C-alpha cells in the first residue's frame, strides 16, 4: 500500500516534469531533426556539384596575365602553336618561354606585364603557371586519342578563345567523362577541326551521322568505354 502510494506520487511528479504535451513536442523535434538532416544531405549533394567543388569558372592568378582571348580570338594563333604535343601525347604541354619570345622579342618589348617572361628567358627558369584543368593522379587521361578521334578542345575546355584569363569551363568529375563515353557520336568531328572554337553549324542529325561513321571505322564501342579500367588502372 505504501509502495503503491509512493509509486503514484512519483508518477504524479513525472507527469509534472513531462506534461502530456511533451510527447507532441518530442515528435515535432524528431521530425524537425529529420528534416534538417535531409536538407543537409541535399545541400551536400548540391555542394558537391556546385562550382565551388568542381572549380568551374574560377580564375587563377597567374605570374603573367596571359589572355587566350587576345592571342586566339584577336591574333588568330592556333592552340597547337603553344600546346604543341596535344596531338601526339598524353599531355597538351604548356609553351616554353621561347615560344612567347618568338613574338615578344619584337612586340611589347618594354611592357611591365611581360617582365616575368623576359626574366624567365634570362634565367632559363620556366614560368610557373598555375594549373586550372587538372585531374587527380588516379585518373588516366590521354589527349592524343581524343584529338585523333575528333573530340574538340571546346568539348572539354569550353570557349577558351573568350577567356581573358583562363578558367576551368567544365567540371572534370567522373559523370562528365562518362556522359560522352556512353554516347560519343554527337561529339565527334573531323580531326582537322578540333581546335575550332565556334560551333560548326551542323544539325543534330548531321553530327550523329558523322559520329556514327567514325565509330564504325575506329570500332569504338560505347558499351566498353565506360569500363572502370579505361580510366582507373
Ligand atoms: C604569334 C605571336 C605571339 C606569341 C607567340 C605570343 N604573343 Fe603575347 N601578344 C601578341 C600580340 C600581337 C599581342 C597584342 C595583343 C592584342 O592587343 O591583341 C600580345 C600581347 C600580350 C600581352 C599583353 C596583354 C594582352 O593580352 O594584350 C601579354 C601579357 C602577352 N602577350 C603574353 C604572352 C605570353 C606569356 C606568351 C607565351 C606563352 C605570348 N604572349 C606569346 C603576340 C604573341
Ligand atoms: C600563344 C600561346 C597560346 C595559345 C595560342 C593557346 N594557349 Fe592555352 N595556354 C597558354 C598558356 C601560357 C597557358 C598557361 C596560363 C593560363 O592558364 O592561362 C595556357 C593554358 C591553357 C589551358 C589551361 C591548362 C591548365 O590546366 O592550367 C587550357 C585548357 C588551354 N590553354 C587551352 C587552349 C586552347 C583550347 C587553345 C586554342 C583555342 C589554346 N589554349 C591556345 C598559351 C596558349
Ligand atoms: C576529352 C576531353 C579533352 C579534350 C578534347 C581536350 N582536353 Fe585538354 N585536358 C583535358 C583534361 C582532363 C586535362 C587534365 C589532364 C590531367 O590533369 O591529367 C587537360 C589538360 C590540358 C592542358 C594542361 C596541360 C597539359 O599538358 O595537359 C592543356 C594546355 C590542354 N588540356 C589543352 C587542350 C587543347 C589545346 C585541346 C584541343 C587540341 C584539348 N586540351 C582537348 C581534357 C581534354
Ligand atoms: C566529348 C567526348 C569525350 C569526353 C568528354 C571524354 N572522352 Fe575519353 N574518349 C572519347 C572517345 C571518342 C575515345 C576513343 C575511344 C576509342 O577510340 O576506342 C575516348 C577514349 C578515352 C580513353 C582511352 C584511351 C586509350 O588509350 O584507349 C581514356 C583513358 C579516356 N577517354 C579518358 C577520359 C577521361 C578521364 C575523361 C574526362 C576527364 C574523358 N575521357 C572525357 C570521348 C570523350
Ligand atoms: C571515362 C573515365 C572514367 C571511367 C570509365 C570511370 N571513372 Fe571513376 N573517375 C573518373 C574521374 C575523372 C574521376 C575524378 C572525379 C573528381 O575529381 O571529382 C573519378 C573518380 C572516381 C572515384 C573517386 C570518388 C569520386 O567519385 O570522386 C571512384 C571511387 C571511381 N571513380 C570509381 C569508378 C568505378 C567503380 C568505375 C567503373 C564503374 C569508374 N570509376 C569509371 C573517370 C572515370
Amino acid at each position: 500500500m505504501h509502495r503503491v502510494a509512493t509509486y503514484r506520487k512519483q508518477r504524479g511528479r513525472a507527469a509534472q516534469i513531462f506534461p502530456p504535451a511533451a510527447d507532441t513536442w518530442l515528435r515535432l523535434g524528431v521530425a524537425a531533426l529529420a528534416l534538417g538532416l535531409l536538407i543537409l544531405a541535399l545541400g551536400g549533394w548540391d555542394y558537391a556539384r556546385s562550382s565551388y567543388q568542381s572549380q568551374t569558372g574560377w580564375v587563377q592568378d597567374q605570374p603573367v596575365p596571359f589572355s587566350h582571348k587576345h592571342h586566339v580570338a584577336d591574333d588568330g594563333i592556333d592552340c597547337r602553336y603553344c600546346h604543341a604535343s596535344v596531338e601526339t601525347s598524353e599531355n597538351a604541354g604548356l609553351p616554353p618561354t621561347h615560344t612567347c619570345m618568338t613574338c615578344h622579342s619584337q612586340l611589347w618589348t618594354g611592357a611591365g606585364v611581360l617582365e616575368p617572361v623576359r626574366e624567365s628567358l634570362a634565367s632559363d627558369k620556366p614560368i610557373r603557371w598555375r594549373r586550372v584543368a587538372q585531374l587527380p593522379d588516379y585518373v588516366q587521361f590521354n589527349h592524343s586519342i581524343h584529338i585523333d578521334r575528333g573530340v574538340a578542345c571546346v568539348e572539354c575546355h569550353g570557349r577558351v578563345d573568350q577567356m581573358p584569363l583562363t578558367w576551368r569551363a567544365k567540371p572534370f568529375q567522373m559523370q562528365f567523362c562518362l556522359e560522352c563515353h556512353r554516347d560519343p557520336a554527337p561529339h565527334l568531328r573531323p580531326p582537322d577541326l578540333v581546335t575550332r572554337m565556334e560551333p560548326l553549324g551542323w544539325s543534330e542529325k548531321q553530327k550523329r551521322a558523322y559520329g556514327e561513321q567514325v565509330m564504325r571505322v575506329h570500332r569504338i564501342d560505347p558499351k566498353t568505354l565506360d569500363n572502370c579500367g579505361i580510366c582507373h588502372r
Side-chain angles (χ1 to χ4, degrees):
M1 194 49 206
H2 179 73
R3 229 184 270 147
V4 172
T6 325
Y7 174 71
R8 286 230 174 95
K9 228 195 254 162
Q10 280 170 347
R11 248 193 67 149
R13 234 182 267 143
Q16 267 162 10
I17 295 170
F18 298 111
D23 196 40
T24 317
W25 283 115
L26 189 68
R27 274 166 208 262
L28 275 177
V30 169
L33 190 70
L35 190 71
L37 286 175
L38 187 72
I39 288 169
L40 266 182
L42 288 175
W45 177 252
D46 231 41
Y47 165 82
R49 307 185 136 237
S50 73
S51 71
Y52 177 77
Q53 185 76 357
S54 63
Q55 294 172 13
T56 48
W58 282 17
V59 169
Q60 288 275 11
D61 262 338
Q62 298 289 2
V64 181
F66 177 80
S67 163
H68 280 92
K69 186 171 183 294
H70 281 158
H71 291 86
V72 176
D74 301 347
D75 303 333
I77 313 172
D78 188 86
C79 315
R80 288 162 292 193
Y81 186 86
C82 291
H83 303 298
S85 58
V86 74
E87 292 170 302
T88 51
S89 88
E90 201 169 301
N91 299 313
L94 291 175
T97 303
H98 72 77
T99 303
C100 314
M101 278 307 188
T102 51
C103 294
H104 289 292
S105 57
Q106 283 124 50
L107 268 171
W108 285 55
T109 49
V113 281
L114 286 168
E115 184 51 36
V117 180
R118 293 188 292 267
E119 205 178 290
S120 156
L121 193 75
S123 64
D124 203 20
K125 286 198 189 109
I127 302 169
R128 297 175 62 102
W129 302 108
R130 294 230 181 99
R131 294 289 307 274
V132 301
Q134 201 164 23
L135 290 173
D137 284 344
Y138 59 85
V139 187
Q140 298 288 321
F141 180 77
N142 188 327
H143 275 95
S144 63
I145 189 163
H146 289 94
I147 304 308
D148 184 71
R149 301 299 187 256
V151 184
C153 317
V154 71
E155 292 275 354
C156 300
H157 296 301
R159 290 298 297 264
V160 174
D161 62 326
Q162 295 174 353
M163 299 180 186
L165 285 172
T166 317
W167 62 78
R168 185 187 294 197
K170 308 275 178 168
F172 281 174
Q173 285 161 344
M174 192 155 96
Q175 194 55 32
F176 167 73
C177 313
L178 290 180
E179 260 163 35
C180 180
H181 276 213
R182 287 174 179 155
D183 183 23
H187 304 280
L188 306 178
R189 58 169 76 180
D192 56 329
L193 297 178
V194 287
T195 59
R196 200 169 126 165
M197 291 272 116
E198 317 84 48
L200 298 184
W202 291 8
S203 71
E204 291 307 312
K205 214 171 138 199
Q206 276 174 309
K207 283 187 197 164
R208 192 163 280 282
Y210 176 82
E212 273 166 4
Q213 201 182 316
V214 175
M215 298 205 11
R216 272 194 300 278
V217 172
H218 290 288
R219 298 169 198 280
I220 302 175
D221 181 4
K223 282 197 217 66
T224 56
L225 210 51
D226 68 352
N227 287 355
C228 319
I230 298 255
C231 303
H232 306 293
R233 267 169 236 167

